[in-house]
Amino acid sequence: MDKVERGVRSLERVSTIREIAAVLRVDAAALLGRDVQPVGVAERREGVARIRAALSAYPMAFGRPADREVMSPDRLAREVRHAWMTFQHARYPRLVELLPPVVTEVHRAHAQDPQTRRATVVEAYRVTAALLVKLDEGSLSWLAADRAMSAAAGDRVLLACAAVQLGQALRASARAGPVMLAAASQIASGAPEEISLRGSLLVQAGLIAARAGDDRVVGELLDETAELADQVGDGHDHYRTAFGPTAVELARVAAAVELGDGPQAVARHEEAMGRDGWRWLPVEHRAAHLIDAARAYLLTDDPANAARVLLRADRIAPAEIRDRPAARGVVAQVACDPDAPSTITQLAIGLGML
């Protein structure tokens, strides 16, 4: 304690902080001058419960009369676009608040006019599934994605859009790979919008193969995807995919991490960060990649750089770190490393993880 007070020794390691806290019989957070509570856990659970209730309600399917007029198609479309923008800016707590009434209105609109409002219905379920994947709500995200697929039936483009989120929701299932490939095979147009859809579906198939440990299939799929991305270019967001050459490089990083190839993942990450296309990606996409990059650095026993990219993610999209269980797990893993810098330790303590 005397050395710490005189500045001879610094509190830079979790082990040191814990040791001194134990001797002083105080919480480790007290040494950092922070009053810590677990961040947003109760609010997230309540929000997810409201989304679950909205997805589980079928008020008009059994002939129940509507208690008010259905929202106009234009207004509902605006609400769904706003939900997507909120997601892409990684404002997940706000989106948790927005989605229950949107999902309720989507049910009502679809029951009244299934064909005219179908694209809006599909997009509403897509953004709901995308959020639930972030919140690690596997079965519920699958339900939302499945609803999107059902609403899109008969329209190959809408089906491809819905399948992108289905792939995210079912990434742990090797059986989802053929579904992605089947959806991609229906998209053969040379228009950039449809190329983006096809490429995004192949990315999902590649990441599913990576989760299964099939590096040969991963390479083939992502090589094909890279060729498609070159036709589209960076700086676009067709059908909310943000597909382009930089997005494919980030997918290669994620695949390498899944395959346990840390050096390749780190090399590709550092190359991708120098691309112009990096800053054109949605905030959510960039922050999610930085979580993958942190995992890559951990694979190469480099907690300092893992901490650096996590702190960068926290700066550009705090909710990606604070509201995404998978990201919180990476923060805790880095912070527990004896060589982790004190900055990541403070973040972990602030999030109630140490």
PDB file of all heavy atoms in Angstrom, residues 27-30 32-39 346-354:
ATOM      1  N   ASP A  27     -14.488  -3.544  -1.656  1.00  0.00           N
ATOM      2  CA  ASP A  27     -14.752  -3.979  -3.020  1.00  0.00           C
ATOM      3  C   ASP A  27     -13.673  -3.420  -3.939  1.00  0.00           C
ATOM      4  O   ASP A  27     -13.193  -2.295  -3.741  1.00  0.00           O
ATOM      5  CB  ASP A  27     -16.130  -3.484  -3.468  1.00  0.00           C
ATOM      6  CG  ASP A  27     -16.545  -4.116  -4.788  1.00  0.00           C
ATOM      7  OD1 ASP A  27     -16.131  -3.573  -5.828  1.00  0.00           O
ATOM      8  OD2 ASP A  27     -17.266  -5.118  -4.759  1.00  0.00           O
ATOM      9  N   ALA A  28     -13.296  -4.184  -4.940  1.00  0.00           N
ATOM     10  CA  ALA A  28     -12.261  -3.717  -5.869  1.00  0.00           C
ATOM     11  C   ALA A  28     -12.646  -2.403  -6.530  1.00  0.00           C
ATOM     12  O   ALA A  28     -11.785  -1.576  -6.860  1.00  0.00           O
ATOM     13  CB  ALA A  28     -12.003  -4.786  -6.934  1.00  0.00           C
ATOM     14  N   ALA A  29     -13.936  -2.175  -6.743  1.00  0.00           N
ATOM     15  CA  ALA A  29     -14.379  -0.933  -7.387  1.00  0.00           C
ATOM     16  C   ALA A  29     -14.015   0.285  -6.561  1.00  0.00           C
ATOM     17  O   ALA A  29     -13.789   1.370  -7.106  1.00  0.00           O
ATOM     18  CB  ALA A  29     -15.888  -0.978  -7.602  1.00  0.00           C
ATOM     19  N   ALA A  30     -13.940   0.126  -5.239  1.00  0.00           N
ATOM     20  CA  ALA A  30     -13.631   1.271  -4.380  1.00  0.00           C
ATOM     21  C   ALA A  30     -12.250   1.835  -4.687  1.00  0.00           C
ATOM     22  O   ALA A  30     -11.999   3.027  -4.539  1.00  0.00           O
ATOM     23  CB  ALA A  30     -13.731   0.858  -2.915  1.00  0.00           C
ATOM     24  N   LEU A  32     -10.954   2.181  -7.502  1.00  0.00           N
ATOM     25  CA  LEU A  32     -11.030   2.992  -8.719  1.00  0.00           C
ATOM     26  C   LEU A  32     -11.988   4.162  -8.555  1.00  0.00           C
ATOM     27  O   LEU A  32     -12.264   4.885  -9.502  1.00  0.00           O
ATOM     28  CB  LEU A  32     -11.468   2.120  -9.907  1.00  0.00           C
ATOM     29  CG  LEU A  32     -10.478   1.022 -10.272  1.00  0.00           C
ATOM     30  CD1 LEU A  32     -11.062   0.120 -11.341  1.00  0.00           C
ATOM     31  CD2 LEU A  32      -9.172   1.618 -10.747  1.00  0.00           C
ATOM     32  N   GLY A  33     -12.518   4.323  -7.347  1.00  0.00           N
ATOM     33  CA  GLY A  33     -13.392   5.464  -7.098  1.00  0.00           C
ATOM     34  C   GLY A  33     -14.712   5.373  -7.803  1.00  0.00           C
ATOM     35  O   GLY A  33     -15.302   6.377  -8.193  1.00  0.00           O
ATOM     36  N   ARG A  34     -15.232   4.174  -7.998  1.00  0.00           N
ATOM     37  CA  ARG A  34     -16.469   4.011  -8.760  1.00  0.00           C
ATOM     38  C   ARG A  34     -17.472   3.204  -7.954  1.00  0.00           C
ATOM     39  O   ARG A  34     -17.131   2.210  -7.337  1.00  0.00           O
ATOM     40  CB  ARG A  34     -16.196   3.314 -10.097  1.00  0.00           C
ATOM     41  CG  ARG A  34     -15.169   4.031 -10.925  1.00  0.00           C
ATOM     42  CD  ARG A  34     -14.972   3.355 -12.260  1.00  0.00           C
ATOM     43  NE  ARG A  34     -16.154   3.477 -13.063  1.00  0.00           N
ATOM     44  CZ  ARG A  34     -16.193   3.188 -14.363  1.00  0.00           C
ATOM     45  NH1 ARG A  34     -15.115   2.773 -14.977  1.00  0.00           N
ATOM     46  NH2 ARG A  34     -17.316   3.307 -15.035  1.00  0.00           N
ATOM     47  N   ASP A  35     -18.703   3.682  -7.988  1.00  0.00           N
ATOM     48  CA  ASP A  35     -19.799   2.966  -7.335  1.00  0.00           C
ATOM     49  C   ASP A  35     -20.460   2.105  -8.405  1.00  0.00           C
ATOM     50  O   ASP A  35     -21.105   2.617  -9.307  1.00  0.00           O
ATOM     51  CB  ASP A  35     -20.799   3.965  -6.750  1.00  0.00           C
ATOM     52  CG  ASP A  35     -21.916   3.257  -5.991  1.00  0.00           C
ATOM     53  OD1 ASP A  35     -21.735   2.077  -5.667  1.00  0.00           O
ATOM     54  OD2 ASP A  35     -22.949   3.896  -5.754  1.00  0.00           O
ATOM     55  N   VAL A  36     -20.264   0.821  -8.305  1.00  0.00           N
ATOM     56  CA  VAL A  36     -20.609  -0.051  -9.428  1.00  0.00           C
ATOM     57  C   VAL A  36     -21.901  -0.805  -9.195  1.00  0.00           C
ATOM     58  O   VAL A  36     -22.143  -1.331  -8.122  1.00  0.00           O
ATOM     59  CB  VAL A  36     -19.460  -1.067  -9.658  1.00  0.00           C
ATOM     60  CG1 VAL A  36     -19.824  -2.028 -10.772  1.00  0.00           C
ATOM     61  CG2 VAL A  36     -18.190  -0.327  -9.994  1.00  0.00           C
ATOM     62  N   GLN A  37     -22.712  -0.825 -10.224  1.00  0.00           N
ATOM     63  CA  GLN A  37     -23.895  -1.677 -10.269  1.00  0.00           C
ATOM     64  C   GLN A  37     -23.893  -2.389 -11.626  1.00  0.00           C
ATOM     65  O   GLN A  37     -23.430  -1.826 -12.617  1.00  0.00           O
ATOM     66  CB  GLN A  37     -25.178  -0.837 -10.142  1.00  0.00           C
ATOM     67  CG  GLN A  37     -25.335  -0.150  -8.796  1.00  0.00           C
ATOM     68  CD  GLN A  37     -25.585  -1.132  -7.679  1.00  0.00           C
ATOM     69  OE1 GLN A  37     -26.134  -2.197  -7.905  1.00  0.00           O
ATOM     70  NE2 GLN A  37     -25.181  -0.770  -6.473  1.00  0.00           N
ATOM     71  N   PRO A  38     -24.357  -3.621 -11.707  1.00  0.00           N
ATOM     72  CA  PRO A  38     -24.478  -4.263 -13.012  1.00  0.00           C
ATOM     73  C   PRO A  38     -25.291  -3.377 -13.943  1.00  0.00           C
ATOM     74  O   PRO A  38     -26.329  -2.838 -13.572  1.00  0.00           O
ATOM     75  CB  PRO A  38     -25.222  -5.570 -12.697  1.00  0.00           C
ATOM     76  CG  PRO A  38     -24.875  -5.846 -11.275  1.00  0.00           C
ATOM     77  CD  PRO A  38     -24.782  -4.503 -10.605  1.00  0.00           C
ATOM     78  N   VAL A  39     -24.802  -3.229 -15.175  1.00  0.00           N
ATOM     79  CA  VAL A  39     -25.357  -2.238 -16.083  1.00  0.00           C
ATOM     80  C   VAL A  39     -26.538  -2.779 -16.872  1.00  0.00           C
ATOM     81  O   VAL A  39     -26.396  -3.682 -17.679  1.00  0.00           O
ATOM     82  CB  VAL A  39     -24.254  -1.762 -17.061  1.00  0.00           C
ATOM     83  CG1 VAL A  39     -24.824  -0.767 -18.066  1.00  0.00           C
ATOM     84  CG2 VAL A  39     -23.116  -1.128 -16.283  1.00  0.00           C
ATOM     85  N   GLN A 346     -10.869  -1.209 -15.487  1.00  0.00           N
ATOM     86  CA  GLN A 346     -11.849  -0.229 -15.024  1.00  0.00           C
ATOM     87  C   GLN A 346     -13.167  -0.383 -15.764  1.00  0.00           C
ATOM     88  O   GLN A 346     -14.247  -0.279 -15.151  1.00  0.00           O
ATOM     89  CB  GLN A 346     -11.296   1.183 -15.233  1.00  0.00           C
ATOM     90  CG  GLN A 346     -10.105   1.504 -14.354  1.00  0.00           C
ATOM     91  CD  GLN A 346      -9.554   2.893 -14.613  1.00  0.00           C
ATOM     92  OE1 GLN A 346     -10.308   3.812 -14.914  1.00  0.00           O
ATOM     93  NE2 GLN A 346      -8.248   3.042 -14.517  1.00  0.00           N
ATOM     94  N   LEU A 347     -13.109  -0.651 -17.081  1.00  0.00           N
ATOM     95  CA  LEU A 347     -14.341  -0.853 -17.836  1.00  0.00           C
ATOM     96  C   LEU A 347     -15.081  -2.078 -17.318  1.00  0.00           C
ATOM     97  O   LEU A 347     -16.308  -2.033 -17.106  1.00  0.00           O
ATOM     98  CB  LEU A 347     -14.033  -1.017 -19.321  1.00  0.00           C
ATOM     99  CG  LEU A 347     -15.216  -1.348 -20.238  1.00  0.00           C
ATOM    100  CD1 LEU A 347     -16.256  -0.229 -20.200  1.00  0.00           C
ATOM    101  CD2 LEU A 347     -14.757  -1.597 -21.668  1.00  0.00           C
ATOM    102  N   ALA A 348     -14.366  -3.167 -17.095  1.00  0.00           N
ATOM    103  CA  ALA A 348     -15.007  -4.395 -16.613  1.00  0.00           C
ATOM    104  C   ALA A 348     -15.630  -4.199 -15.246  1.00  0.00           C
ATOM    105  O   ALA A 348     -16.747  -4.667 -14.989  1.00  0.00           O
ATOM    106  CB  ALA A 348     -13.982  -5.531 -16.577  1.00  0.00           C
ATOM    107  N   ILE A 349     -14.931  -3.506 -14.370  1.00  0.00           N
ATOM    108  CA  ILE A 349     -15.486  -3.232 -13.044  1.00  0.00           C
ATOM    109  C   ILE A 349     -16.709  -2.332 -13.165  1.00  0.00           C
ATOM    110  O   ILE A 349     -17.734  -2.537 -12.497  1.00  0.00           O
ATOM    111  CB  ILE A 349     -14.416  -2.603 -12.136  1.00  0.00           C
ATOM    112  CG1 ILE A 349     -13.348  -3.654 -11.801  1.00  0.00           C
ATOM    113  CG2 ILE A 349     -15.039  -2.053 -10.857  1.00  0.00           C
ATOM    114  CD1 ILE A 349     -12.177  -3.120 -11.033  1.00  0.00           C
ATOM    115  N   GLY A 350     -16.628  -1.341 -14.044  1.00  0.00           N
ATOM    116  CA  GLY A 350     -17.760  -0.453 -14.254  1.00  0.00           C
ATOM    117  C   GLY A 350     -18.994  -1.168 -14.774  1.00  0.00           C
ATOM    118  O   GLY A 350     -20.120  -0.747 -14.521  1.00  0.00           O
ATOM    119  N   LEU A 351     -18.781  -2.258 -15.493  1.00  0.00           N
ATOM    120  CA  LEU A 351     -19.879  -3.045 -16.021  1.00  0.00           C
ATOM    121  C   LEU A 351     -20.324  -4.138 -15.038  1.00  0.00           C
ATOM    122  O   LEU A 351     -21.213  -4.936 -15.350  1.00  0.00           O
ATOM    123  CB  LEU A 351     -19.489  -3.684 -17.355  1.00  0.00           C
ATOM    124  CG  LEU A 351     -19.193  -2.700 -18.486  1.00  0.00           C
ATOM    125  CD1 LEU A 351     -18.743  -3.451 -19.742  1.00  0.00           C
ATOM    126  CD2 LEU A 351     -20.409  -1.854 -18.810  1.00  0.00           C
ATOM    127  N   GLY A 352     -19.692  -4.178 -13.871  1.00  0.00           N
ATOM    128  CA  GLY A 352     -20.079  -5.160 -12.870  1.00  0.00           C
ATOM    129  C   GLY A 352     -19.637  -6.568 -13.175  1.00  0.00           C
ATOM    130  O   GLY A 352     -20.247  -7.528 -12.736  1.00  0.00           O
ATOM    131  N   MET A 353     -18.519  -6.696 -13.896  1.00  0.00           N
ATOM    132  CA  MET A 353     -18.059  -8.022 -14.303  1.00  0.00           C
ATOM    133  C   MET A 353     -16.861  -8.508 -13.504  1.00  0.00           C
ATOM    134  O   MET A 353     -16.407  -9.627 -13.716  1.00  0.00           O
ATOM    135  CB  MET A 353     -17.727  -8.019 -15.798  1.00  0.00           C
ATOM    136  CG  MET A 353     -18.941  -7.823 -16.681  1.00  0.00           C
ATOM    137  SD  MET A 353     -18.592  -7.986 -18.430  1.00  0.00           S
ATOM    138  CE  MET A 353     -17.624  -6.521 -18.701  1.00  0.00           C
ATOM    139  N   LEU A 354     -16.333  -7.690 -12.615  1.00  0.00           N
ATOM    140  CA  LEU A 354     -15.196  -8.107 -11.787  1.00  0.00           C
ATOM    141  C   LEU A 354     -15.518  -7.840 -10.328  1.00  0.00           C
ATOM    142  O   LEU A 354     -16.247  -6.902 -10.022  1.00  0.00           O
ATOM    143  CB  LEU A 354     -13.935  -7.360 -12.189  1.00  0.00           C
ATOM    144  CG  LEU A 354     -13.332  -7.696 -13.547  1.00  0.00           C
ATOM    145  CD1 LEU A 354     -12.097  -6.833 -13.797  1.00  0.00           C
ATOM    146  CD2 LEU A 354     -12.938  -9.164 -13.632  1.00  0.00           C
TER     147      LEU A 354
END
